[in-house]
């Protein structure tokens, strides 16, 4: 029989979300033209006038970056709406762009649809323009806008409820708004913060620098999301005994700021920095939400797109070949049946290795048949069965007798959807995974070792 799940487990939205691995964020709006990061809501709609907006260019950047999901800021805290909403005059319809006939959300949604990219929406709960902010009338206003966006632009894959400045938005606001989301778009993932904690499919991870915790559990106590100021460490690491399954989404910008500023053209993250970022987010059981701020033309800078393509080159080049594929794998406590040790290296997520129910620890030895050099390690648990393993280390051997630890892969705790580690290249004919503690028997579908290509 199959192993029984332990603790909180992901819902269908979360399982799909994890598999996206990387999401693009597009911060574009009045702030792009006012050249600020958080406008106070007083900038004139006359300022909004992209000269060459082309969302197909945005999606082509994502294609070369291997990113298949994107979230657009429809309204940031300055309150300016990127679509011609019926519910305020503070929008593109009063701008000179396309004589007020333009709709950034439409162009974004259409470009995503045409390129097979899933589209999500950031609709800022905080609003510094609308005088109703924080009142029951604001709840109506926001709900109406949410309905417009969720009814008229096709499938919306994720809704982003930024907690910034949103403390006046109580849980009753979110009860209503979540009802709108669930009714109109049942499959929509919710990024929840503060008082929207009850609806969160994914959580903020506690900083905007792209650094998830080690360990990073998908489980957390909901109160840690609600009371984020005093629970930054819990957001960053998750909580191994947390009562809810709310994994971390890592929001970080490819530039210092969320919105475009020409002065930052020299500060776009390097490919090497993005590679570290990838390991510190995707490689730590989290999803990376990487921001590309389009400029005043309405285009993503070629600097940003080249760096993102460089990251994809490294991802593809590294993970194309699991050097453990086809190796002979043996373990101390196999469950038997279809849960074979060899499933760890068969490049399939459908099959997995499991221990017998009597064991939460194990030693799994991978015989590569000959010496191989590698500098990256990947582990993937069967997330549908909950977080199981809570302690693990990886060692290698060049002769099959003497085992050497990989220091970076020693004394690790969480695994989850994906755990990646990079280290100085080692050459070995055998590698072993020692599972030293767990909440339940091992259930891992992938053990991978890889060699990084050199930086592009
Ligand atoms: O000044 N801030 O609002 C701020 C500065 C640095 C890091 C975070 C924040 S706000 C924070 O943003 C998160 C997304 O990055 C989440 O939405 C949190 O709920 C919010 O409080």
């Amino acid at each position: 029989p199959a192993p029984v799940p332990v603790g909180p487990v992901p819902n269908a939205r979360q399982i799909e979300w994890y598999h996206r691995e990387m999401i693009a964020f597009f911060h574009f709006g009045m702030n792009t033209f006012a050249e600020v990061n958080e406008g106070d809501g007083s900038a004139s709609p006359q300022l909004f006038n992209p000269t060459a907006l082309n969302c197909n260019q945005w999606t082509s950047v994502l294609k070369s970056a291997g990113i298949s999901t994107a979230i657009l800021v429809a309204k940031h805290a300055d309150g300016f709406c990127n679509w011609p909403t019926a519910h305020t005059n503070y929008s593109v319809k009063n701008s000179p762009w396309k004589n007020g006939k333009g709709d950034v959300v439409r162009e974004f949604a259409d470009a995503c649809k045409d390129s097979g990219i899933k589209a999500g929406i950031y609709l800022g709960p905080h609003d510094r323009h609308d005088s109703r902010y924080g009142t029951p009338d604001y709840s109506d206003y926001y709900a109406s806008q949410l309905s417009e966006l969720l009814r008229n632009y096709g499938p919306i894959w994720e809704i982003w409820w930024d907690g910034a400045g949103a403390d006046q938005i109580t849980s009753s606001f979110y009860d209503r708004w979540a009802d709108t989301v669930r009714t109109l778009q049942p499959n929509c993932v919710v990024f929840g913060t503060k008082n929207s904690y009850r609806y969160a499919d994914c959580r903020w991870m506690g900083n905007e620098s792209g650094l998830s915790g080690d360990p990073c559990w998908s489980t957390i106590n909901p109160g840690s999301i609600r009371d984020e100021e005093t629970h930054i460490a819990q957001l960053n690491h998750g909580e191994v005994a947390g009562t809810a399954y709310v994994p971390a989404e890592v929001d970080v910008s490819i530039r210092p700021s969320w919105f475009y500023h020409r002065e930052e053209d020299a500060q776009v993250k390097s490919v090497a920095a993005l590679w570290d970022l990838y390991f510190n987010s995707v490689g730590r059981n989290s999803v990376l939400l990487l921001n590309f701020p389009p400029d005043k033309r309405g285009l993503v800078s070629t600097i940003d797109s080249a760096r993102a393509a460089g990251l994809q080159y490294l991802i593809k080049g590294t993970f194309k070949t699991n050097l453990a594929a086809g190796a002979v794998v043996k373990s101390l406590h196999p469950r038997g049946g279809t849960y074979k040790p060899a499933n760890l290296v068969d490049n399939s997520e459908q099959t997995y290795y499991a221990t017998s129910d009597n064991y939460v620890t194990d030693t799994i030895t991978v015989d590569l048949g000959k010496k191989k050099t590698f500098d990256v390690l990947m582990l993937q648990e069967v997330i549908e069965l909950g977080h199981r393993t809570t302690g693990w280390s990886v060692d290698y051997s060049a002769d099959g007798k003497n085992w050497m630890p990989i220091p970076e892969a020693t004394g690790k705790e969480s695994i989850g959807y994906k755990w990646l580690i990079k280290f100085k290249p080692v050459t070995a004919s055998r590698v072993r995974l020692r599972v030293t503690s767990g909440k339940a028997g091992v259930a891992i579908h992938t053990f991978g070792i890889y060699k990084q290509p050199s930086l592009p």
Side-chain angles (χ1 to χ4, degrees):
V4 176
V6 62
V9 293
N11 64 35
R13 293 187 296 275
Q14 293 169 321
I15 294 170
E16 215 278 320
W17 168 89
Y18 256 133
H19 284 83
R20 296 278 149 182
E21 301 198 356
M22 292 195 287
I23 306 174
F25 218 171
F26 291 111
H27 275 69
F28 181 70
M30 183 57 82
N31 293 344
T32 312
F33 297 89
E35 303 194 27
V36 295
N37 288 306
E38 190 172 316
D40 61 8
S42 66
S44 163
Q46 291 299 317
L47 267 184
F48 185 89
N49 197 9
T51 50
L53 180 90
N54 180 3
C55 293
N56 294 313
Q57 187 259 356
W58 306 7
T59 54
S60 70
V61 170
L62 302 193
K63 284 280 168 190
S64 30
I67 298 177
S68 63
T69 317
I71 298 175
L72 170 69
V73 170
K75 180 191 85 157
H76 205 256
D78 60 278
F80 185 80
C81 299
N82 279 337
W83 80 105
T85 169
H87 306 287
T88 177
N89 290 323
Y90 199 49
S91 82
V92 285
K93 76 184 169 204
N94 285 309
S95 80
W97 179 55
K98 297 195 169 178
N99 294 316
K101 300 275 182 286
D103 183 343
V104 185
V105 176
R106 173 76 56 214
E107 296 198 21
F108 168 75
D110 288 352
C112 286
K113 186 167 179 243
D114 291 347
S115 53
I117 286 173
K118 307 273 188 193
I121 290 288
Y122 170 117
L123 184 64
H126 188 202
D127 193 317
R128 304 176 75 183
H129 176 83
D130 199 285
S131 57
R132 293 166 290 187
Y133 179 67
T135 68
D137 284 350
Y138 183 75
S139 181
D140 293 346
Y141 169 62
Y142 187 99
S144 307
Q145 295 203 318
L146 197 52
S147 298
E148 276 181 333
L149 293 168
L150 299 180
R151 280 182 203 280
N152 302 330
Y153 295 90
I156 298 299
W157 190 82
E158 179 166 336
I159 177 92
W160 223 79
W161 280 336
D162 194 348
D167 298 274
Q168 289 181 60
I169 306 298
T170 59
S171 2
S172 56
F173 284 66
Y174 286 115
D175 290 343
R176 170 157 181 215
W177 302 348
D179 189 52
T180 304
V181 174
R182 283 288 151 263
T183 305
L184 297 176
Q185 300 263 359
N187 300 324
C188 181
V189 173
V190 173
F191 174 87
T193 56
K194 296 183 177 170
N195 290 326
S196 64
Y197 66 101
R198 283 203 205 92
Y199 305 103
D201 289 316
C202 57
R203 69 176 194 260
W204 183 42
M205 124 344 251
N207 63 64
E208 294 180 346
S209 30
L211 198 58
S212 282
D214 178 6
C216 185
W217 307 101
S218 308
T219 45
I220 189 164
N221 292 312
S224 303
I225 299 175
R226 183 191 56 210
D227 306 326
E228 68 168 32
E229 295 82 356
T230 51
H231 292 80
I232 295 295
Q234 287 81 356
L235 291 172
N236 194 234
H237 290 281
E239 295 172 270
V240 64
T243 57
Y245 194 94
V246 190
E249 188 172 275
V250 177
D251 60 312
V252 56
S253 185
I254 196 164
R255 289 164 173 257
S257 297
W258 290 107
F259 285 88
Y260 180 85
H261 305 290
R262 199 159 59 89
E263 316 83 80
E264 295 181 355
D265 279 356
Q267 294 172 70
V268 180
K269 287 186 172 56
S270 65
V271 175
L274 291 175
W275 190 224
D276 286 342
L277 181 66
Y278 181 80
F279 276 77
N280 289 330
S281 53
V282 176
R284 289 186 172 182
N285 186 35
S286 304
V287 166
L288 172 59
L289 175 58
L290 182 58
N291 181 58
F292 298 90
D295 60 18
K296 286 187 186 185
R297 295 171 303 168
L299 299 174
V300 175
S301 150
T302 51
I303 308 167
D304 307 35
S305 68
R307 302 288 160 81
L311 172 63
Q312 180 59 13
Y313 168 86
L314 288 179
I315 295 172
K316 272 225 155 119
T318 301
F319 298 106
K320 66 176 191 296
T321 313
N322 181 356
L323 297 170
V328 176
V329 189
K330 291 191 173 133
S331 70
L332 289 181
H333 307 300
R335 185 176 193 83
T338 56
Y339 307 98
K340 303 188 298 260
N343 293 344
L344 289 164
V345 296
D346 67 356
N347 287 322
S348 165
E349 208 185 326
Q350 310 312 318
T351 65
Y352 62 94
Y353 168 71
T355 53
S356 106
D357 286 337
N358 302 326
Y359 294 94
V360 301
T361 65
D362 203 3
T363 297
I364 301 159
T365 307
V366 178
D367 186 344
L368 303 171
K370 59 175 189 188
K371 284 191 179 170
K372 294 189 180 181
T373 300
F374 56 93
D375 54 11
V376 169
L377 181 75
M378 181 198 287
L379 285 180
Q380 295 193 280
E381 254 182 332
V382 181
I383 58 172
E384 291 84 348
L385 298 176
H387 269 293
R388 306 174 74 84
T389 291
T390 57
W392 57 276
S393 295
V394 173
D395 318 309
Y396 66 98
S397 173
D399 58 11
K401 291 194 249 0
N402 301 298
W403 290 94
M404 299 286 291
I406 297 173
E408 294 86 347
T410 299
K412 308 315 285 182
E413 295 173 51
S414 57
I415 303 176
Y417 172 79
K418 184 175 275 190
W419 202 270
L420 300 173
I421 302 180
K422 56 185 165 75
F423 40 87
K424 279 212 292 292
V426 298
T427 299
S429 57
R430 286 181 176 79
V431 200
R432 83 180 171 193
L433 168 65
R434 283 181 295 115
V435 175
T436 52
S437 62
K439 295 204 248 181
V442 174
I444 297 176
H445 70 74
T446 296
F447 175 88
I449 52 172
Y450 310 88
K451 180 73 190 69
Q452 301 167 58
S454 37
L455 283 172

